[in-house]
Amino acid sequence: MSVRKPAAEPASENGGDDRDGADGASGGAHGASRGHRLRTRRPVPDEAAVVGVLVLLVLGVGLLKPDFLQTGNLLTTAHNSVYVGLMACGMVFALAMREVDLSVGGMYAMGIVVGALLIRDGWNPWLAALAVLALSALLGAVNGAITTYLRLPSFIVTLATLMLLRGIGLALAEGKQVTDLPQDHAFFSVLGGGESLGVPNAVWVFAAAVVVLTVVFTRTRFGARVRAIGSNPEAAEFGGLPVTRTRIAALALSGLMAGVAAVLALAFFIAGDPTIGQGYELTAIAAAIIGGTPLKGGTGSVVGAAAGTLILGAVTAALVFFEVPINWTTFATGGVILAAVGAAPLLRRVRDLRSPGRNP
């Protein structure tokens, strides 16, 4: 009696049995799911840590001194930070190209004096403001041209122009404040003391500048060139990028932001003080570095620079609430800068560990 053999099982399309195919499908689905999780896990933004420190600082001081959290005090602190903040935001472009612009403090002081003199001599304040902006941008471009064509370090060039511009401002003002300006003009009431929705207009200008410069730095061809040149100047030049033109434009933009700060300060103080802004250039550089713009170039954050400026402003305001003697203000500010810069590598390491690709 013959025994009937069972029919052979059909082979799967992939050459294996059904169980293997099911395991493969399960593994593929698991891999796809894990890949989806990795793709949807976004890296921590560079600005997140700085903004977090700012929020914790404000809340921490507010717990000890509740009056610190009053709206009026917070707006005053923000207003006081506008001038250095504008310089810090412009400084991001210079630092991202491995340049340092020390002349912004001199441009700021001279711009205030020039604007005050033009207004006192009969110029319309709005036209005088435009003249200050144009002059500041031109001086920044001159810094870039000297740095590029003479192949000199921007640190030395801008240090020299810092002293030159401060000297010019003192000479033009004859060593004293320029006063007798038409205080009833709309220029002073709108930019100096005006408010919109309860917020000083100068703070609105600062916020608008942060938004515009962020878009320029991250979303435009000019910003991409700044970052590429800062990452590797030799490779950028070999690749045909306009290194010279970009460097001049970046330093011109840095000068322009110092001019914007000068215009707002002139509208607020209604006088031209040639001694104003001592050390602002170093504070602007520190704020940009605290905000995540390293000296090595190639990257930066305008939002971070603004947050760094507000951190320094909040520290200064907190010292007043804690009745710390003014002689210790500079010491405390320096300590904050040192702590923030020292913590930057640690925060960057934590951010990298949480970035996609680090965790299997």
Side-chain angles (χ1 to χ4, degrees), residues 15 22 26 29 36 47 92 97 100 105 160 179 183 201 204 210 236 282-283 287 336 351:
S26 176
H36 178 70
E47 304 86 357
V92 169
M97 289 194 65
V100 179
T179 55
Q183 301 184 18
N201 289 332
W204 287 116
V210 171
L282 297 179
T283 306
V336 170
R351 180 198 65 191

Side-chain angles (χ1 to χ4, degrees), residues 246-274:
T246 305
R247 181 178 290 113
I248 293 175
L251 289 175
L253 179 58
S254 179
L256 175 63
M257 298 314 297
V260 175
V263 168
L264 293 178
L266 175 61
F268 182 75
F269 295 111
I270 319 179
D273 186 356

Side-chain angles (χ1 to χ4, degrees), residues 22 66 106 130 231 282 341:
L130 292 177
S231 297
L282 297 179
V341 173

Side-chain angles (χ1 to χ4, degrees), residues 99-102 147 152-161 282 285:
E99 308 293 345
V100 179
D101 189 358
L102 292 175
T147 298
L152 295 174
S154 58
F155 178 87
I156 299 299
V157 173
T158 56
L159 177 61
T161 52
L282 297 179
I285 294 173

Side-chain angles (χ1 to χ4, degrees), residues 24-102:
S26 176
H30 177 71
S33 176
R34 185 178 66 178
H36 178 70
R37 289 197 303 268
L38 290 177
R39 285 194 300 270
T40 56
R41 184 186 299 167
R42 297 180 180 178
V44 179
D46 293 340
E47 304 86 357
V50 186
V51 175
V53 169
L54 174 61
V55 173
L56 291 176
L57 174 63
V58 172
L59 293 179
V61 176
L63 289 176
L64 299 175
K65 300 289 183 179
D67 290 343
F68 184 82
L69 295 179
Q70 291 184 357
T71 303
N73 177 67
L74 295 178
L75 290 177
T76 299
T77 302
H79 194 178
N80 293 337
S81 303
V82 163
Y83 313 114
V84 174
L86 289 168
M87 298 181 205
C89 292
M91 192 71 66
V92 169
F93 290 81
L95 293 177
M97 289 194 65
R98 303 188 185 184
E99 308 293 345
V100 179
D101 189 358
L102 292 175

Side-chain angles (χ1 to χ4, degrees), residues 89-288:
C89 292
M91 192 71 66
V92 169
F93 290 81
L95 293 177
M97 289 194 65
R98 303 188 185 184
E99 308 293 345
V100 179
D101 189 358
L102 292 175
S103 66
V104 292
M107 289 185 193
Y108 173 72
M110 194 193 72
I112 293 175
V113 170
V114 169
L117 289 173
L118 291 177
I119 294 173
R120 193 180 67 179
D121 291 343
W123 280 50
N124 183 288
W126 296 108
L127 292 179
L130 292 177
V132 170
L133 296 179
L135 177 62
S136 301
L138 176 61
L139 292 172
V142 170
N143 282 336
I146 295 175
T147 298
T148 300
Y149 292 114
L150 297 184
R151 298 185 180 276
L152 295 174
S154 58
F155 178 87
I156 299 299
V157 173
T158 56
L159 177 61
T161 52
L162 164 66
M163 293 184 286
L164 284 172
L165 296 175
R166 281 205 174 275
I168 292 173
L170 282 168
L172 291 176
E174 298 179 349
K176 57 185 179 181
Q177 287 191 358
V178 180
T179 55
D180 299 330
L181 304 182
Q183 301 184 18
D184 56 345
H185 196 278
F187 171 78
F188 299 103
S189 60
V190 171
L191 289 184
E195 295 183 352
S196 298
L197 302 177
V199 178
N201 289 332
V203 176
W204 287 116
V205 173
F206 179 41
V210 171
V211 173
V212 171
L213 291 181
T214 297
V215 172
V216 172
F217 189 75
T218 61
R219 302 295 182 183
T220 66
R221 182 176 299 177
F222 171 68
R225 287 173 177 173
V226 167
R227 300 194 306 273
I229 294 171
S231 297
N232 194 327
E234 293 78 11
E237 188 170 5
F238 181 78
L241 292 181
V243 176
T244 298
R245 187 167 70 242
T246 305
R247 181 178 290 113
I248 293 175
L251 289 175
L253 179 58
S254 179
L256 175 63
M257 298 314 297
V260 175
V263 168
L264 293 178
L266 175 61
F268 182 75
F269 295 111
I270 319 179
D273 186 356
T275 64
I276 197 172
Q278 297 282 350
Y280 276 17
E281 59 279 347
L282 297 179
T283 306
I285 294 173

